[in-house]
Amino acid sequence: LQKHVDKTGHVDYAGFRNDPSFKVYLKSLSAAKPSAAWPVNERKAFWINAYNAFTVQFIVDHPGVKSIKDIPEPWKTEFITIGGQNMDLDHIENVELRKNLDDPRIHFAIVCASRSCPMLWDHAYTADGLDKQLDDAARRFINDPSRNIIKGGNVQLSKVFDWFEDDFT
């Protein structure tokens, strides 16, 4: 991440495409067998990192697209295998993270490669630092004037708050 994501969240997809260590990382994610026996923060960090890495891979697999939304069914395309189970990004987000781990802060950490979503950080999430990382991600996202505008009585919030309204109310 530090090699291919700058401090402003700009992603060098060509760098990821040509980096053999990224392919090794994806294989290690695929080989993992996350389970309910793992500590909660370990599972959250794993699934957040997996979602972000496979989202990058999905973009890498579709060179030249201007937006992930230009790809048919990007979040429902089953191209991920983790622990022998085939899945899509939607499964990671809505089952593994939202349903099984129920922490609305994940919405500030997972990156869907859309302008309304948070920017990709230049580091991975870790079990030990996860609560601070998620709090930092929430502050950063909420205070990002390119995603949320609060001026006087006028409030314009990111679509993330509409899409996942139930998680925030």
Side-chain angles (χ1 to χ4, degrees):
L1 287 168
Q2 291 175 347
K3 284 174 30 182
H4 306 299
V5 181
D6 70 18
K7 295 290 182 199
T8 65
H10 178 264
V11 179
D12 174 13
Y13 290 106
F16 276 110
R17 182 179 298 111
N18 298 317
D19 189 336
S21 63
F22 181 57
K23 292 170 182 55
V24 169
Y25 179 61
L26 292 172
K27 284 183 181 179
S28 72
L29 290 171
S30 291
K33 295 187 184 321
S35 76
W38 288 17
V40 170
N41 279 0
E42 213 170 288
R43 283 187 287 150
K44 274 188 217 175
F46 174 84
W47 287 113
I48 290 167
N49 291 327
Y51 185 96
N52 291 341
F54 283 107
T55 297
V56 168
Q57 181 60 48
F58 194 69
I59 299 296
V60 164
D61 288 345
H62 295 85
V65 298
K66 298 261 189 246
S67 167
I68 193 169
K69 294 176 187 176
D70 295 338
I71 305 166
E73 298 290 325
W75 296 282
K76 296 201 180 279
T77 300
E78 202 170 86
F79 70 101
I80 303 163
T81 302
I82 295 178
Q85 180 183 352
N86 294 330
M87 62 186 70
D88 53 30
L89 292 168
D90 188 67
H91 174 84
I92 293 174
E93 179 176 15
N94 292 305
V95 176
E96 301 302 339
L97 286 166
R98 291 181 68 220
K99 180 181 176 206
N100 294 346
L101 296 167
D102 190 27
D103 185 338
R105 298 175 301 169
I106 63 104
H107 296 295
F108 309 120
I110 60 173
V111 179
C112 71
S114 173
R115 186 170 301 283
S116 294
C117 291
M119 66 181 208
L120 186 61
W121 279 17
D122 65 348
H123 62 276
Y125 287 85
T126 62
D128 290 341
L130 189 63
D131 284 315
K132 181 181 180 334
Q133 288 176 313
L134 290 174
D135 287 347
D136 289 348
R139 272 189 216 87
R140 192 165 157 175
F141 182 79
I142 290 166
N143 291 305
D144 182 343
S146 70
R147 289 169 174 78
N148 302 289
I149 301 168
I150 304 169
K151 287 186 180 176
N154 186 22
V155 177
Q156 295 175 336
L157 297 178
S158 164
K159 291 286 187 195
V160 168
F161 294 104
D162 288 333
W163 297 333
F164 303 104
E165 180 180 358
D166 291 345
D167 293 1
F168 296 109
T169 55

